[in-house]
Amino acid sequence: QKEVEQNSGPLSVPEGAIASLNCTYSDRVSQSFFWYRQYSGKSPELIMSIYSNGDKEDGRFTAQLNKASQYVSLLIRDSQPSDSATYLCAVGSSGGSYIPTFGRGTSLIVHP
Amino acid sequence: NAGVTQTPKFQVLKTGQSMTLQCAQDMNHNSMYWYRQDPGMGLRLIYYSASEGTTDKGEVPNGYNVSRLNKREFSLRLESAAPSQTSVYFCASISQGARPTNTEAFFGQGTRLTVV
């Protein structure tokens, strides 16, 4: 059983700060990693994908992957109140059919 | 949500009743999924379909059945609803590309199901 672990939070940061969200996974051969954002009462939305070790930047978002440590993170720079949501980490399966496994999510609160 | 239509949005069932949740996507994706989401539990996979004509069990399949009617449609059926099936259900259509920029993932709006 693959496991994806996230701190449930809530993580509270002031507006303008950097929010750092972390995720660890158990399947060492996983190849694909994703971050979803889910607003309260809404469906998840894919915001970042990363496959290779290192950093991937998209606007205010940076995904970081370290396969040796089995660790994925999401940094949100210049956090805004509109970033307040639950962030779900997902890990793709290592072969055959694509079956993403989700973590339980981290609740982020950005306060003015 | 753009591309994935899921119905109904809300449903209340009595224990033992049956119902079917409908899902359709118009993005020509091969893979479709049904998840349930409970407080503090994240998304748990019920069933998935890697392609038209195939379905496989996920982490929590007991009490559910699915049908991949065609490439567009993937339905979830509760034959005899139980209070433990009270949850929010999401249908998803996901296409994982060879590169991160090629991956597409869309979820339906969700179905809030209460079994009393």
Side-chain angles (χ1 to χ4, degrees):
Chain A
Q1 180 78 13
K2 290 188 302 182
E3 293 184 353
V4 179
E5 300 289 342
Q6 294 181 258
N7 188 319
S8 62
L11 173 65
S12 182
V13 300
E15 183 174 357
I18 297 175
S20 178
L21 304 161
N22 305 313
C23 171
T24 59
Y25 59 95
S26 63
D27 187 356
R28 180 169 292 277
V29 298
S30 296
Q31 296 295 319
S32 54
F33 308 88
F34 308 89
W35 284 98
Y36 289 77
R37 177 176 61 200
Q38 186 176 25
Y39 292 113
S40 181
K42 302 296 185 182
S43 55
E45 172 193 9
L46 179 64
I47 57 172
M48 290 289 285
S49 307
I50 186 167
Y51 291 16
S52 303
N53 279 328
D55 294 359
K56 180 185 176 186
E57 185 174 319
D58 184 359
R60 294 186 296 111
F61 298 95
T62 299
Q64 299 176 318
L65 173 61
N66 184 325
K67 291 184 180 180
S69 300
Q70 296 174 240
Y71 179 91
V72 191
S73 65
L74 179 69
L75 302 179
I76 306 175
R77 291 183 301 280
D78 188 24
S79 296
Q80 301 297 310
S82 59
D83 295 324
S84 298
T86 295
Y87 289 81
L88 302 168
C89 173
V91 176
S93 49
S94 52
S97 300
Y98 172 64
I99 307 170
T101 300
F102 286 82
R104 298 186 178 191
T106 299
S107 174
L108 173 66
I109 299 172
V110 181
H111 53 87
Chain B
N1 285 12
V4 178
T5 303
Q6 180 182 339
T7 57
K9 191 170 183 178
F10 300 96
Q11 185 72 50
V12 178
L13 291 177
K14 294 181 179 179
T15 297
Q17 288 185 317
S18 62
M19 77 164 294
T20 299
L21 283 66
Q22 306 287 352
C23 177
Q25 54 98 1
D26 59 7
M27 293 162 293
N28 204 36
H29 290 166
N30 286 321
S31 300
M32 298 182 72
Y33 308 79
W34 277 104
Y35 288 93
R36 61 177 289 174
Q37 187 173 39
D38 302 294
M41 296 297 293
L43 289 165
R44 292 187 292 169
L45 183 64
I46 304 171
Y47 270 92
Y48 69 98
S49 171
S51 62
E52 182 180 354
T54 68
T55 60
D56 284 286
K57 296 178 180 179
E59 180 186 355
V60 288
N62 291 344
Y64 306 95
N65 284 302
V66 290
S67 295
R68 184 74 183 267
L69 304 171
N70 47 55
K71 193 169 188 178
R72 289 188 65 249
E73 298 172 290
F74 187 38
S75 62
L76 177 72
R77 182 162 178 84
L78 286 71
E79 292 291 352
S80 178
S84 61
Q85 294 178 304
T86 293
S87 188
V88 179
Y89 292 83
F90 288 103
C91 174
S93 178
I94 303 175
S95 175
Q96 180 177 353
R99 296 183 297 174
T101 49
N102 298 138
T103 296
E104 294 184 332
F106 295 94
F107 281 74
Q109 63 181 356
T111 298
R112 294 184 178 275
L113 174 66
T114 302
V115 182
V116 298

